[in-house]
Amino acid sequence: MTSTTPKSAAANISPQPKAIVKNWDGLKPYLLAAPQTITLCVFLVFPILLIGVVSFWEFNGYSMTPAFTLDNYISVFSSDVTLKTYVNTFKFVGMVWLATLLIGYPVAYFLSFHIKKLKWQVLLFLICTIPFWTSNIIRMISWVPLLGKEGLVNQLLMGIGLIDAPLEFLLYSDFAVVLGMVHLYIIFMIAPIFNSLMRIDRTLITAAEDMGASGFNVFKEIVLPLSAPGIAIGSIFVVTLVMGEFITVRMMGGGQAASIGKLIQTQIGSVQYPLAAANAIILLFVTLLLVFSILRVVNIRKEL
Amino acid sequence: MKQRSLSFYLLAAFFGLFLLFLYGPMLTIFILSLQGPDGTLTFPIRSFGFYWLGQVFQEQRVGNFVEPFQRSVVLGAIVTVLVASMATLSAMAFRQKFRGSTVLFYLTISALIVPSILISLGLGVMFQIMGWSTNWLTSGLGAHLTWTLPIAFLIMLGIFNRFNPSYEEAAKDLGANDPKTFREIVFPLILPSLIGVGLLTFTLSYDEFTRTSLVSGQYNTLPLEIFGMTTNVTSPALYALGTLTTLFSFTMIIIAYVTVSRLNRRQQG
């Protein structure tokens, strides 16, 4: 496709000593990978290490000072609020995970098994992904005219006489938080499941059908086990995203809803960095624990 | 044509409902932003018109969104250039096994799944300790990189997976060195995908909110400005701004998708 002629490349032969060539070939991947590695170290690893350090520092109400104290952790563990907030966060995680799985699986299944042409599969899948690239804030604002007290849903329900007074729980409630998160994050469940469903060898299914397996048996014995890694990867994404959530909780939860992310955000707002850091380290630990337990149940190696 | 089963129709209906769930709310604000001057934040619509789209550009209505928009575009452009080059280079490194490649792979994935509040807090603490003040162009850039780089990297890995190495081998057999092979063979071949990845990276950065929210410093990027408006703008101008910026993102995404799929077709054909 390029107009470059091989001649111009051939004219550029530069005989290099063999040792240098060999060295260069060994070094090349490291040089190529260096910028990304450095960026991640500077903006991901180093900041998280600092959080770990600062979580042992002292806070005097105005500023933090280097020290080694367990006070921050003690105050996190001795507070009722922490436990309640974690319970609430797990509630969100569980509900969002279940909802994204129950909605996402049929969607991915439909695309990969019922749409026959690859072109259409890709097109419909891409349509599902478009909102993911757009603004989370605007996607959340969009729910307000639908779910608000005078929103479309309440107007419709009152119009057909199902309810007398507007339903208050639709917006600024735990329900709204879960709805908002499912809306934002469901693509993270659909994409990996779609990917693993697409890889299933269709002859396996034909073979099972030929041997008399029912549709349900084919699903239970072949499709579900082979898509388990996709479910696991999707679950890791959804669980970790919801664990650290604070924006949806703030915008859709209307003040009362609590999550550990929002708690940390509030502490950062009042510059209580050491306390926020201790909370963040515990959050990171809990999140990693969840990820590893998902990995224990399902082996995802094959997918990567 | 084969008779379709009942489950096809059931799942097709479910899929349709899902698309309604996905796009319905967005359509609502598109419609509500097309109201006349007597428009409100909710239905019913009294009159249609472009009044509120025009009002977006009147400063007193929604505050000054022009500067935040400029910041978001500048930041998005910087992020795009950095991320597209870094992701291309490292994806090329991953075409061969090297020591530490697994570690780097998991490190990159972990940038995606680490709770975003940790990125915000970590960058905030880092800047505090270093005595630097947070700014959308410095700490904000860092926050954007942790989110966009892994995604661009994963897409680039996929692109290089399908990349046919025989052109490069031919160039090397003819004596071209690595930089020359890249410049004259690899780069022209991946350019359309690179444009696609670049546009998607730009959109991600342009719309990024969560990780930037606590480290943007004194001046807001556009998503942060819009977040601020949700509390004090009570007219459909908010929806109008949302509509305009979403259409802006849609345009980028669709160009990106079309560019990438064109390339795939060409490589297959």
Side-chain angles (χ1 to χ4, degrees):
Chain A
M1 57 152 286
T2 63
S3 58
T4 325
T5 59
K7 264 182 223 156
S8 68
N12 205 37
I13 296 177
S14 47
Q16 286 169 318
K18 273 218 170 108
I20 295 182
V21 172
K22 207 172 181 188
N23 254 340
W24 163 245
D25 279 344
L27 211 59
K28 200 170 66 178
Y30 295 98
L31 290 175
L32 290 173
Q36 176 163 331
T37 315
I38 294 169
T39 305
L40 290 175
C41 286
V42 172
F43 293 117
L44 179 74
V45 178
F46 184 60
I48 288 177
L49 290 178
L50 278 183
I51 295 178
V53 172
V54 165
S55 68
F56 295 105
W57 284 14
E58 273 171 355
F59 183 72
N60 63 9
Y62 305 101
S63 62
M64 52 183 184
T65 42
F68 185 82
T69 168
L70 292 173
D71 286 356
N72 303 308
Y73 286 97
I74 291 168
S75 83
V76 169
F77 282 114
S78 58
S79 144
D80 282 348
V81 179
T82 316
L83 187 67
K84 272 189 202 145
T85 316
Y86 266 101
V87 170
N88 215 37
T89 311
F90 285 134
K91 193 181 78 191
F92 286 141
V93 170
M95 285 160 80
V96 174
W97 174 75
L98 197 65
T100 51
L101 182 62
L102 292 181
I103 301 170
Y105 201 98
V107 166
Y109 185 86
F110 173 72
L111 289 181
S112 49
F113 280 93
H114 283 287
I115 306 287
K116 298 296 173 203
K117 280 213 174 93
L118 180 69
K119 199 179 114 188
W120 282 100
Q121 287 176 324
V122 173
L123 184 72
L124 290 175
F125 175 71
L126 287 182
I127 289 176
C128 295
T129 61
I130 289 175
F132 157 72
W133 306 98
T134 67
S135 164
N136 284 3
I137 297 296
I138 290 162
R139 292 178 71 190
M140 280 187 262
I141 294 174
S142 306
W143 283 108
V144 175
L146 284 176
L147 301 181
K149 223 170 155 185
E150 287 154 25
L152 203 56
V153 173
N154 271 325
Q155 284 182 20
L156 276 177
L157 290 178
M158 285 179 36
I160 55 173
L162 267 181
I163 49 170
D164 300 325
L167 298 174
E168 303 256 3
F169 76 88
L170 289 178
L171 193 61
Y172 306 129
S173 60
D174 284 1
F175 167 78
V177 173
V178 172
L179 184 77
M181 291 196 214
V182 171
H183 190 229
L184 291 182
Y185 302 136
I186 190 158
I187 191 62
F188 289 96
M189 189 62 102
I190 293 176
I193 295 178
F194 177 65
N195 183 43
S196 55
L197 286 176
M198 290 291 279
R199 288 187 189 192
I200 294 177
D201 187 347
R202 299 304 194 259
T203 53
L204 284 176
I205 292 163
T206 319
E209 279 168 351
D210 287 349
M211 306 217 293
S214 66
F216 175 74
N217 271 333
V218 170
F219 179 76
K220 202 183 111 212
E221 302 292 336
I222 298 174
V223 179
L224 194 60
L226 287 176
S227 59
I231 297 177
I233 295 175
S235 304
I236 289 175
F237 274 112
V238 170
V239 164
T240 53
L241 282 165
V242 178
M243 274 310 286
E245 246 291 346
F246 60 99
I247 296 302
T248 314
V249 180
R250 187 151 287 238
M251 275 193 81
M252 307 287 281
Q256 297 98 358
S259 78
I260 197 71
K262 192 178 156 193
L263 181 74
I264 297 175
Q265 192 212 10
T266 312
Q267 287 164 349
I268 296 173
S270 53
V271 295
Q272 292 173 296
Y273 283 125
L275 194 59
N279 259 313
I281 291 297
I282 297 166
L283 170 66
L284 183 64
F285 188 72
V286 173
T287 309
L288 285 178
L289 215 63
L290 288 173
V291 171
F292 285 124
S293 29
I294 294 172
L295 292 179
R296 269 197 82 101
V297 180
V298 185
N299 180 13
I300 63 164
R301 274 289 154 71
K302 280 175 288 177
E303 294 288 299
L304 302 172
Chain B
M1 194 168 167
K2 213 177 85 180
Q3 181 75 37
R4 286 201 158 115
S5 62
L6 176 67
S7 66
F8 171 84
Y9 291 105
L10 287 176
L11 281 171
F14 187 79
F15 183 70
L17 283 175
F18 172 70
L19 285 186
L20 187 69
F21 166 69
L22 211 54
Y23 285 93
M26 236 181 260
L27 282 178
T28 324
I29 68 159
F30 286 4
I31 295 167
L32 284 175
S33 67
L34 293 174
Q35 298 181 88
D38 53 358
T40 60
L41 283 175
T42 51
F43 290 95
I45 290 172
R46 291 170 191 83
S47 63
F48 282 100
F50 295 105
Y51 178 79
W52 296 105
L53 292 175
Q55 287 296 307
V56 170
F57 300 95
Q58 309 286 315
E59 217 169 283
Q60 67 278 13
R61 278 294 185 184
V62 291
N64 186 4
F65 87 98
V66 177
E67 281 166 28
F69 173 75
Q70 284 167 346
R71 277 180 219 123
S72 280
V73 170
V74 169
L75 184 57
I78 298 172
V79 169
T80 302
V81 171
L82 288 176
V83 164
S85 13
M86 287 193 283
T88 308
L89 292 179
S90 53
M92 278 168 64
F94 272 80
R95 297 170 78 191
Q96 63 202 89
K97 254 296 181 239
F98 60 96
R99 200 190 285 253
S101 59
T102 319
V103 177
L104 179 57
F105 182 82
Y106 282 111
L107 177 66
T108 312
I109 300 293
S110 68
L112 274 187
I113 63 171
V114 88
S116 49
I117 190 90
L118 266 101
I119 307 273
S120 273
L121 173 63
L123 285 170
V125 166
M126 177 166 100
F127 274 62
Q128 174 99 357
I129 291 176
M130 299 293 187
W132 305 329
S133 56
T134 51
N135 184 289
W136 59 277
L137 203 48
T138 53
S139 44
L141 176 69
H144 280 215
L145 289 177
T146 60
W147 177 235
T148 51
L149 184 56
I151 294 176
F153 169 71
L154 289 177
I155 302 177
M156 284 317 285
L157 272 191
I159 288 169
F160 274 112
N161 260 341
R162 277 176 310 199
F163 187 80
N164 187 347
S166 52
Y167 298 108
E168 275 172 285
E169 279 156 16
K172 279 187 188 150
D173 288 346
L174 290 166
N177 58 15
D178 279 338
K180 196 169 176 73
T181 311
F182 178 78
R183 212 168 51 236
E184 302 199 348
I185 307 290
V186 181
F187 184 72
L189 282 174
I190 61 162
L191 184 61
S193 320
L194 201 56
I195 294 172
V197 172
L199 285 169
L200 293 178
T201 306
F202 180 86
T203 322
L204 275 186
S205 161
Y206 173 79
D207 286 321
E208 213 292 327
F209 176 81
T210 320
R211 295 181 183 214
T212 332
S213 62
L214 301 173
V215 293
S216 70
Q218 197 181 345
Y219 300 104
N220 281 341
T221 57
L222 188 60
L224 271 71
E225 193 71 19
I226 292 174
F227 180 68
M229 285 175 194
T230 56
T231 49
N232 56 33
V233 176
T234 51
S235 72
L238 177 66
Y239 298 153
L241 180 58
T243 302
L244 291 177
T245 170
T246 305
L247 290 179
F248 180 71
S249 300
F250 272 2
T251 314
M252 303 275 170
I253 299 159
I254 287 162
I255 297 174
Y257 281 175
V258 170
T259 328
V260 173
S261 66
R262 273 261 175 86
L263 171 89
N264 280 344
R265 220 171 299 153
R266 200 161 51 186
Q267 287 219 336
Q268 283 160 8

